[in-house]
Amino acid sequence: MEGGIDAGHSGEQAREYNRWFAEQVPYFDAPDLGFKRMWFYRWWVVRFSMVDMQAPDLQGPAFYEGKLGFDNVIGFAVPLQVKELTYLRDPRFALSQLDNSYRTRAENGAVLDPPGSPYWDETYSHWIAAAALELHQVQPIPQDTLRRLLPAMAGDVRAWLTAYDVDGDALPERDRPRVTGYDLDILSYWYFAGTRLDPRAEPPALERVDFASFVFANAVAVAALAEVAGDAAMAAEFRADAARIRAAVLTNLWDDETRFFYPQRAADDARAPLRELHGFFPFTTRLAPDEPRYTRALDALIDPTDFWARYPPVITSLRHYRAWTWEMDGLTRNIAPHPISMGARTVLQAIKHYHGHDITPAHFMELMQRYNDLLYPGVLPSDPYWRPNAHEYYSQWEPYAQTPLPKPSEISHDFHSMYLSLVVEGVVGLTPRDDERIELQPMALEWPYFALDGLRHHGHDLTIVWDRPDGVVRYPGFPEGFSLRIDGVPAFTRPTLGHVVYDPATGAVETPS
């Protein structure tokens, strides 16, 4: 037709668009509509952020941090994106994002954002290799792909332990707050200037907990993936690097008196004793030992006077926010989906891998519910703006709130945080493992039901169902209780919801205490 839209072509485009979701996205059901709405919305964000192109720096499917403000593959967001893409049914999307992430690197070997606007050429701190290892534990990476990726993964870790570790103490240092991904919200960079924000000042180089934690996690991942690929020498090299980083962090960045991890100034090892979310990242990456000396630090994460704020966790402890009244100019005291999702991942790691703390599954579910409330505030359906939105960040929140709801930034529908993987690994409880056993440790212990169908795991389709026994079958064809099916074949059904490890090779079911 002339001068108008071809209805036939438009209809076919819509069918192809919808087919992508039908073929790629697992089905999720829950009694809390906030979780269901966010599940569908966050998969839309994934698809909205995808491009498919052939350029020197980006080839095949790639995922921008945001099409409405951060239109590039940005290293800061990539590990969280890979975690989300892990649960698409086709692993090629996650593998392509890994390829695109490691395709552009700085001269020193560190991952570098692809060229474009001059703003993007940055070597952000990241845990991309660690996310790749967890992808491999769910959807095994082909050997040829592993061998292609490993040299770049190794080169990135080596760069952080050489170019960004001037004194060779296994504690990477950088003098740009932006490379943390949290910009001027990182108050420790301003601690030595009286904790007064001066965007024009040159901040000192800090040996940071997040830098060391992420490089540790990447080193562990490179070692594990190198072993899978049959490169014993590379595996040994990076196991040794990981051990060296762990020893350096525990010796230099841990404070026994206040029981927390802090950054220090690289020039003289002077500590910046500000509690930041990054102080928990040794637990997020499992660098910290599972010992009471360290694990009591986790209680600060759920303390309402520390990090458990209105939308937990905050980037810097409320104790610091409330102790000073310096001029902020709207540049700090922000909350954002990225640190909230990192906090949720930390809560999961604490529950699944650490003892001697007070964090419970109820804390994880509460955090996720508040996360839903932030992104989907639940205004009236008659309001034309009744829709979820993952903004870059939100401001004007407590302790000096100006509005009933935090003020969103201008950049919308960002793909720079996790949600979907937190539902799979937290709400439903799938735990990535090095073997083919299926470990489920659900956090939704108070829910009467949930279902996750079509989840790809080691080449099989998993269906995970919980239907609290009450005499009324919610899911036809499934018995009441906690059930797992593999490729449609029943694996187990248990009367209660809890921690289960199932071995497909033997049919054995373990219930860890």
Side-chain angles (χ1 to χ4, degrees):
M1 61 183 295
E2 295 182 7
I5 298 175
D6 185 335
H9 178 74
S10 176
E12 179 59 28
Q13 184 180 41
R15 284 190 291 273
E16 286 295 323
Y17 183 79
N18 291 329
R19 186 178 294 118
W20 186 90
F21 290 96
E23 293 176 349
Q24 296 299 332
V25 174
Y27 172 77
F28 174 62
D29 185 35
D32 188 317
L33 289 179
F35 282 83
K36 288 188 69 171
R37 288 167 173 165
M38 286 298 297
W39 175 263
F40 295 121
Y41 165 66
R42 291 300 295 244
W43 281 120
W44 175 84
V45 169
V46 171
R47 183 63 181 83
F48 177 65
S49 303
M50 187 176 78
V51 296
D52 198 338
M53 58 198 306
Q54 295 298 323
D57 54 309
L58 295 176
Q59 297 179 18
F63 295 83
Y64 287 167
E65 182 173 317
K67 283 190 174 177
L68 301 179
F70 295 101
D71 48 346
N72 199 1
V73 173
I74 299 175
F76 165 67
V78 167
L80 297 93
Q81 294 167 340
V82 171
K83 285 298 298 178
E84 305 289 82
L85 299 172
T86 293
Y87 295 109
L88 286 172
R89 290 176 51 76
D90 191 338
R92 75 184 181 93
F93 296 100
L95 294 175
S96 182
Q97 185 71 345
L98 287 172
D99 270 328
N100 282 313
S101 301
Y102 283 107
R103 182 169 286 114
T104 305
R105 293 192 295 141
E107 290 185 7
N108 59 29
V111 168
L112 180 70
D113 296 338
S117 164
Y119 184 76
W120 303 134
D121 293 331
E122 188 61 271
T123 52
Y124 286 100
S125 176
H126 67 85
W127 45 286
I128 299 174
L133 174 61
E134 293 188 12
L135 166 67
H136 177 74
Q137 292 169 333
V138 175
Q139 302 211 54
I141 300 175
Q143 287 279 328
D144 60 337
T145 304
L146 265 185
R147 295 191 183 99
R148 184 177 71 251
L149 287 171
L150 273 169
M153 289 180 172
D156 174 75
V157 174
R158 291 182 185 122
W160 278 88
L161 290 174
T162 53
Y164 303 139
D165 183 17
V166 178
D167 56 5
D169 62 356
L171 296 173
E173 64 189 66
R174 304 292 297 276
D175 61 0
R176 283 180 287 178
R178 198 173 83 197
V179 303
T180 67
Y182 294 172
D183 304 322
L184 300 180
D185 285 296
I186 304 303
L187 302 187
S188 54
Y189 272 105
W190 316 106
Y191 174 77
F192 298 102
T195 322
R196 291 193 61 84
L197 181 63
D198 183 358
R200 295 181 296 274
E202 290 293 330
L206 296 183
E207 295 177 332
R208 295 188 49 79
V209 183
D210 47 330
F211 297 165
S213 297
F214 291 163
V215 178
F216 166 84
N218 288 336
V220 169
V222 171
L225 293 172
E227 192 164 341
V228 171
D231 192 332
M234 180 181 287
E237 174 190 348
F238 287 93
R239 277 196 298 269
D241 282 339
R244 194 162 58 93
I245 297 168
R246 169 178 275 152
V249 170
L250 298 180
T251 299
N252 298 285
L253 304 185
W254 171 256
D255 183 69
D256 258 326
E257 183 176 349
T258 59
R259 295 189 303 191
F260 209 74
F261 289 97
Y262 299 102
Q264 63 185 21
R265 188 163 55 189
D268 57 4
D269 295 342
R271 182 168 289 161
L274 296 180
R275 287 193 178 190
E276 296 172 339
L277 179 63
H278 302 84
F280 297 109
F281 287 179
F283 301 99
T284 317
T285 60
R286 298 179 66 184
L287 178 155
D290 184 15
E291 300 172 6
R293 174 184 178 186
Y294 302 104
T295 56
R296 296 310 304 184
L298 289 163
D299 290 338
L301 185 59
I302 56 172
D303 186 340
T305 68
D306 244 325
F307 289 88
W308 203 255
R310 182 178 172 190
Y311 298 100
V314 288
I315 296 171
T316 302
S317 170
L318 290 171
R319 299 184 184 190
H320 302 313
Y321 281 148
R322 289 168 170 158
W324 294 298
T325 56
W326 60 89
E327 178 58 45
M328 307 304 285
D329 293 330
L331 294 174
T332 60
R333 281 190 179 145
N334 295 321
I335 53 176
H338 186 286
I340 291 172
S341 65
M342 290 297 290
R345 178 174 169 86
T346 304
V347 168
L348 282 184
Q349 296 289 69
I351 294 170
K352 293 184 178 184
H353 302 294
Y354 287 95
H355 303 81
H357 58 78
D358 294 332
I359 299 177
T360 67
H363 286 112
F364 175 80
M365 296 302 292
E366 180 185 347
L367 191 159
M368 292 292 285
Q369 287 166 342
R370 296 195 197 183
Y371 192 7
N372 290 343
D373 290 343
L374 178 66
L375 271 60
Y376 208 132
V379 295
L380 295 174
S382 58
D383 187 327
Y385 297 106
W386 186 62
R387 61 179 185 267
N389 198 330
H391 290 274
E392 179 195 2
Y393 64 88
Y394 300 76
S395 58
Q396 296 184 11
W397 64 282
E398 63 176 353
Y400 304 113
Q402 303 295 316
T403 58
L405 292 173
K407 180 180 180 295
S409 68
E410 295 179 354
I411 298 175
S412 299
H413 306 304
D414 260 15
F415 187 19
H416 72 322
S417 61
M418 294 174 287
Y419 184 87
L420 305 160
S421 57
L422 296 171
V423 170
V424 175
E425 297 175 12
V427 174
V428 178
L430 180 73
T431 302
R433 296 175 57 100
D434 289 328
D435 56 28
E436 295 194 15
R437 292 195 291 175
I438 300 167
E439 182 171 0
L440 303 173
Q441 190 174 356
M443 301 293 119
L445 299 177
E446 301 303 317
W447 280 5
Y449 63 86
F450 62 71
L452 185 62
D453 183 40
L455 184 72
R456 293 294 287 174
H457 183 271
H458 286 264
H460 300 280
D461 286 342
L462 304 187
T463 303
I464 304 161
V465 168
W466 163 240
D467 182 5
R468 183 183 293 162
D470 58 5
V472 179
V473 174
R474 180 173 184 85
Y475 300 106
F478 285 84
E480 292 182 290
F482 186 33
S483 299
L484 170 68
R485 291 189 179 182
I486 304 175
D487 297 329
V489 178
F492 68 76
T493 298
R494 302 186 63 80
T496 57
L497 186 64
H499 192 180
V500 175
V501 180
Y502 176 75
D503 189 343
T506 65
V509 180
E510 299 177 16
T511 54
S513 60

PDB file of all heavy atoms in Angstrom, residues 79-93:
ATOM      1  N   PRO A  79      28.398  -8.543  33.394  1.00  0.00           N
ATOM      2  CA  PRO A  79      28.213  -9.760  34.195  1.00  0.00           C
ATOM      3  C   PRO A  79      26.773  -9.963  34.641  1.00  0.00           C
ATOM      4  O   PRO A  79      26.278 -11.099  34.654  1.00  0.00           O
ATOM      5  CB  PRO A  79      29.147  -9.549  35.394  1.00  0.00           C
ATOM      6  CG  PRO A  79      29.501  -8.107  35.395  1.00  0.00           C
ATOM      7  CD  PRO A  79      29.409  -7.654  33.983  1.00  0.00           C
ATOM      8  N   LEU A  80      26.077  -8.891  34.977  1.00  0.00           N
ATOM      9  CA  LEU A  80      24.685  -9.019  35.379  1.00  0.00           C
ATOM     10  C   LEU A  80      23.809  -9.399  34.189  1.00  0.00           C
ATOM     11  O   LEU A  80      22.852 -10.170  34.323  1.00  0.00           O
ATOM     12  CB  LEU A  80      24.204  -7.713  36.021  1.00  0.00           C
ATOM     13  CG  LEU A  80      24.939  -7.335  37.315  1.00  0.00           C
ATOM     14  CD1 LEU A  80      26.118  -6.424  37.005  1.00  0.00           C
ATOM     15  CD2 LEU A  80      24.025  -6.657  38.304  1.00  0.00           C
ATOM     16  N   GLN A  81      24.157  -8.892  33.012  1.00  0.00           N
ATOM     17  CA  GLN A  81      23.432  -9.275  31.803  1.00  0.00           C
ATOM     18  C   GLN A  81      23.634 -10.757  31.492  1.00  0.00           C
ATOM     19  O   GLN A  81      22.683 -11.464  31.147  1.00  0.00           O
ATOM     20  CB  GLN A  81      23.901  -8.414  30.629  1.00  0.00           C
ATOM     21  CG  GLN A  81      23.540  -6.946  30.767  1.00  0.00           C
ATOM     22  CD  GLN A  81      24.274  -6.072  29.768  1.00  0.00           C
ATOM     23  OE1 GLN A  81      25.307  -6.457  29.224  1.00  0.00           O
ATOM     24  NE2 GLN A  81      23.753  -4.874  29.524  1.00  0.00           N
ATOM     25  N   VAL A  82      24.864 -11.237  31.614  1.00  0.00           N
ATOM     26  CA  VAL A  82      25.143 -12.658  31.356  1.00  0.00           C
ATOM     27  C   VAL A  82      24.365 -13.534  32.333  1.00  0.00           C
ATOM     28  O   VAL A  82      23.846 -14.592  31.961  1.00  0.00           O
ATOM     29  CB  VAL A  82      26.655 -12.942  31.425  1.00  0.00           C
ATOM     30  CG1 VAL A  82      26.940 -14.450  31.369  1.00  0.00           C
ATOM     31  CG2 VAL A  82      27.372 -12.234  30.276  1.00  0.00           C
ATOM     32  N   LYS A  83      24.267 -13.092  33.597  1.00  0.00           N
ATOM     33  CA  LYS A  83      23.472 -13.850  34.560  1.00  0.00           C
ATOM     34  C   LYS A  83      22.015 -13.948  34.100  1.00  0.00           C
ATOM     35  O   LYS A  83      21.398 -15.021  34.209  1.00  0.00           O
ATOM     36  CB  LYS A  83      23.536 -13.190  35.940  1.00  0.00           C
ATOM     37  CG  LYS A  83      24.835 -13.399  36.678  1.00  0.00           C
ATOM     38  CD  LYS A  83      25.080 -14.884  36.972  1.00  0.00           C
ATOM     39  CE  LYS A  83      24.002 -15.480  37.860  1.00  0.00           C
ATOM     40  NZ  LYS A  83      24.226 -16.933  38.113  1.00  0.00           N
ATOM     41  N   GLU A  84      21.444 -12.862  33.596  1.00  0.00           N
ATOM     42  CA  GLU A  84      20.068 -12.896  33.110  1.00  0.00           C
ATOM     43  C   GLU A  84      19.956 -13.764  31.859  1.00  0.00           C
ATOM     44  O   GLU A  84      19.053 -14.594  31.737  1.00  0.00           O
ATOM     45  CB  GLU A  84      19.570 -11.479  32.806  1.00  0.00           C
ATOM     46  CG  GLU A  84      19.674 -10.496  33.969  1.00  0.00           C
ATOM     47  CD  GLU A  84      18.694 -10.767  35.083  1.00  0.00           C
ATOM     48  OE1 GLU A  84      18.986 -11.652  35.924  1.00  0.00           O
ATOM     49  OE2 GLU A  84      17.638 -10.123  35.137  1.00  0.00           O
ATOM     50  N   LEU A  85      20.888 -13.584  30.914  1.00  0.00           N
ATOM     51  CA  LEU A  85      20.847 -14.316  29.647  1.00  0.00           C
ATOM     52  C   LEU A  85      21.064 -15.812  29.836  1.00  0.00           C
ATOM     53  O   LEU A  85      20.670 -16.607  28.981  1.00  0.00           O
ATOM     54  CB  LEU A  85      21.908 -13.756  28.696  1.00  0.00           C
ATOM     55  CG  LEU A  85      21.763 -12.278  28.305  1.00  0.00           C
ATOM     56  CD1 LEU A  85      22.986 -11.808  27.535  1.00  0.00           C
ATOM     57  CD2 LEU A  85      20.490 -12.055  27.493  1.00  0.00           C
ATOM     58  N   THR A  86      21.659 -16.194  30.952  1.00  0.00           N
ATOM     59  CA  THR A  86      21.860 -17.619  31.253  1.00  0.00           C
ATOM     60  C   THR A  86      20.542 -18.376  31.213  1.00  0.00           C
ATOM     61  O   THR A  86      20.510 -19.568  30.854  1.00  0.00           O
ATOM     62  CB  THR A  86      22.506 -17.771  32.642  1.00  0.00           C
ATOM     63  OG1 THR A  86      23.832 -17.240  32.597  1.00  0.00           O
ATOM     64  CG2 THR A  86      22.574 -19.228  33.089  1.00  0.00           C
ATOM     65  N   TYR A  87      19.450 -17.706  31.536  1.00  0.00           N
ATOM     66  CA  TYR A  87      18.167 -18.395  31.654  1.00  0.00           C
ATOM     67  C   TYR A  87      17.250 -18.199  30.458  1.00  0.00           C
ATOM     68  O   TYR A  87      16.081 -18.587  30.509  1.00  0.00           O
ATOM     69  CB  TYR A  87      17.502 -18.011  32.975  1.00  0.00           C
ATOM     70  CG  TYR A  87      18.360 -18.525  34.121  1.00  0.00           C
ATOM     71  CD1 TYR A  87      19.087 -17.651  34.927  1.00  0.00           C
ATOM     72  CD2 TYR A  87      18.500 -19.886  34.338  1.00  0.00           C
ATOM     73  CE1 TYR A  87      19.909 -18.131  35.939  1.00  0.00           C
ATOM     74  CE2 TYR A  87      19.324 -20.378  35.344  1.00  0.00           C
ATOM     75  CZ  TYR A  87      20.020 -19.488  36.142  1.00  0.00           C
ATOM     76  OH  TYR A  87      20.847 -19.972  37.131  1.00  0.00           O
ATOM     77  N   LEU A  88      17.770 -17.618  29.362  1.00  0.00           N
ATOM     78  CA  LEU A  88      17.127 -17.794  28.074  1.00  0.00           C
ATOM     79  C   LEU A  88      17.368 -19.240  27.640  1.00  0.00           C
ATOM     80  O   LEU A  88      18.400 -19.840  27.964  1.00  0.00           O
ATOM     81  CB  LEU A  88      17.694 -16.838  27.033  1.00  0.00           C
ATOM     82  CG  LEU A  88      17.277 -15.372  27.136  1.00  0.00           C
ATOM     83  CD1 LEU A  88      18.065 -14.521  26.157  1.00  0.00           C
ATOM     84  CD2 LEU A  88      15.775 -15.206  26.894  1.00  0.00           C
ATOM     85  N   ARG A  89      16.444 -19.802  26.903  1.00  0.00           N
ATOM     86  CA  ARG A  89      16.575 -21.223  26.551  1.00  0.00           C
ATOM     87  C   ARG A  89      17.737 -21.476  25.589  1.00  0.00           C
ATOM     88  O   ARG A  89      18.347 -22.537  25.626  1.00  0.00           O
ATOM     89  CB  ARG A  89      15.258 -21.730  25.959  1.00  0.00           C
ATOM     90  CG  ARG A  89      14.146 -21.816  27.015  1.00  0.00           C
ATOM     91  CD  ARG A  89      12.828 -22.232  26.403  1.00  0.00           C
ATOM     92  NE  ARG A  89      12.937 -23.432  25.592  1.00  0.00           N
ATOM     93  CZ  ARG A  89      13.043 -24.674  26.076  1.00  0.00           C
ATOM     94  NH1 ARG A  89      13.080 -24.868  27.386  1.00  0.00           N
ATOM     95  NH2 ARG A  89      13.124 -25.700  25.265  1.00  0.00           N
ATOM     96  N   ASP A  90      18.060 -20.516  24.751  1.00  0.00           N
ATOM     97  CA  ASP A  90      19.158 -20.659  23.801  1.00  0.00           C
ATOM     98  C   ASP A  90      20.397 -19.953  24.358  1.00  0.00           C
ATOM     99  O   ASP A  90      20.387 -18.729  24.528  1.00  0.00           O
ATOM    100  CB  ASP A  90      18.773 -20.050  22.455  1.00  0.00           C
ATOM    101  CG  ASP A  90      19.765 -20.388  21.349  1.00  0.00           C
ATOM    102  OD1 ASP A  90      20.931 -20.724  21.668  1.00  0.00           O
ATOM    103  OD2 ASP A  90      19.382 -20.311  20.167  1.00  0.00           O
ATOM    104  N   PRO A  91      21.480 -20.685  24.638  1.00  0.00           N
ATOM    105  CA  PRO A  91      22.665 -20.054  25.232  1.00  0.00           C
ATOM    106  C   PRO A  91      23.441 -19.159  24.284  1.00  0.00           C
ATOM    107  O   PRO A  91      24.366 -18.465  24.712  1.00  0.00           O
ATOM    108  CB  PRO A  91      23.515 -21.255  25.661  1.00  0.00           C
ATOM    109  CG  PRO A  91      23.107 -22.361  24.742  1.00  0.00           C
ATOM    110  CD  PRO A  91      21.641 -22.147  24.477  1.00  0.00           C
ATOM    111  N   ARG A  92      23.076 -19.139  23.006  1.00  0.00           N
ATOM    112  CA  ARG A  92      23.866 -18.347  22.057  1.00  0.00           C
ATOM    113  C   ARG A  92      23.826 -16.861  22.388  1.00  0.00           C
ATOM    114  O   ARG A  92      24.767 -16.125  22.071  1.00  0.00           O
ATOM    115  CB  ARG A  92      23.405 -18.587  20.618  1.00  0.00           C
ATOM    116  CG  ARG A  92      22.108 -17.929  20.228  1.00  0.00           C
ATOM    117  CD  ARG A  92      21.694 -18.318  18.808  1.00  0.00           C
ATOM    118  NE  ARG A  92      20.444 -17.673  18.411  1.00  0.00           N
ATOM    119  CZ  ARG A  92      20.366 -16.526  17.759  1.00  0.00           C
ATOM    120  NH1 ARG A  92      21.471 -15.879  17.424  1.00  0.00           N
ATOM    121  NH2 ARG A  92      19.205 -16.020  17.418  1.00  0.00           N
ATOM    122  N   PHE A  93      22.759 -16.397  23.037  1.00  0.00           N
ATOM    123  CA  PHE A  93      22.672 -14.975  23.367  1.00  0.00           C
ATOM    124  C   PHE A  93      23.700 -14.608  24.438  1.00  0.00           C
ATOM    125  O   PHE A  93      24.391 -13.588  24.336  1.00  0.00           O
ATOM    126  CB  PHE A  93      21.251 -14.631  23.824  1.00  0.00           C
ATOM    127  CG  PHE A  93      20.216 -14.816  22.757  1.00  0.00           C
ATOM    128  CD1 PHE A  93      19.418 -15.950  22.737  1.00  0.00           C
ATOM    129  CD2 PHE A  93      20.057 -13.872  21.757  1.00  0.00           C
ATOM    130  CE1 PHE A  93      18.466 -16.133  21.741  1.00  0.00           C
ATOM    131  CE2 PHE A  93      19.116 -14.040  20.748  1.00  0.00           C
ATOM    132  CZ  PHE A  93      18.313 -15.177  20.744  1.00  0.00           C
TER     133      PHE A  93
END
